[in-house]
Amino acid sequence: MIDRIVSELGPWNWMVLGFVLLVMEIVAPGVFMLWIGIAALIVGAVSLVIWDAAFWTWQLQVLVFLVLSLISAFVGKKLMAGRHGDADQPLLNRRGAQMVGKLATLAEPIKNGRGRIKLGDTLWRVSGPDLPVGTQVRVTGAADSDLELTVEAV
């Protein structure tokens, strides 16, 4: 059945494959099927021109498709890498890192290296030297998880 479809469609097989891959990219975006779909469309365009040539066998077509897929994926990766430049707000989703340098007052004493401060409307867990309630502290760092700040007395 597949042989019959391939022989009936001729060079349009690659065009159909290319469009199917582009539709898959639209349905499940990930910018990967796009480059393979472009490679299939290129092989389809070449097939339309030289379909009757004796050297243009299905094996050569598949080989050209695989090579073009690799090349287009590589070029696409290079193109997309330049689009992820520096953000205008690099700390946007890193609340703890935004707090570094701010002054606060201890809401709970720091005992055994742990306590709490209030910054804005949020109580933050902090670590630092043991200090009593009401001490002014400066935030010096944030844990990777942004759940705990590091403080020092002012």
Side-chain angles (χ1 to χ4, degrees):
M1 178 176 153
I2 293 176
D3 291 334
R4 188 173 58 90
I5 293 172
V6 169
S7 63
E8 286 178 10
L9 287 176
W12 291 99
N13 289 318
W14 292 107
M15 296 293 196
V16 169
L17 176 64
F19 286 119
V20 166
L21 289 168
L22 293 177
V23 167
M24 286 175 54
E25 179 68 30
I26 292 170
V27 171
V31 192
F32 185 71
M33 292 295 171
L34 171 71
W35 309 113
I36 299 173
I38 289 171
L41 291 174
I42 292 171
V43 172
V46 171
S47 292
L48 285 172
V49 175
I50 61 172
W51 183 254
D52 293 327
F55 68 89
W56 194 243
T57 62
W58 69 268
Q59 294 94 340
L60 182 61
Q61 291 175 34
V62 170
L63 183 65
V64 170
F65 169 68
L66 293 174
V67 169
L68 284 177
S69 294
L70 291 173
I71 291 170
S72 64
F74 179 75
V75 169
K77 183 176 190 253
K78 292 293 182 188
L79 286 174
M80 292 298 151
R83 298 182 63 164
H84 299 294
D86 295 334
D88 58 342
Q89 295 180 3
L91 301 178
L92 181 63
N93 291 321
R94 297 177 50 212
R95 286 280 319 271
Q98 293 175 12
M99 301 300 156
V100 173
K102 295 200 178 202
L103 296 175
T105 305
L106 284 176
E108 295 178 12
I110 299 179
K111 292 182 184 175
N112 298 324
R114 303 273 190 247
R116 291 186 187 271
I117 60 171
K118 184 164 184 158
L119 279 170
D121 62 349
T122 306
L123 274 176
W124 289 85
R125 285 186 296 182
V126 295
S127 62
D130 289 355
L131 297 168
V133 173
T135 305
Q136 281 282 99
V137 293
R138 179 183 322 274
V139 178
T140 58
D144 289 336
S145 63
D146 273 351
L147 296 176
E148 185 172 274
L149 304 174
T150 306
V151 296
E152 65 182 18
V154 178

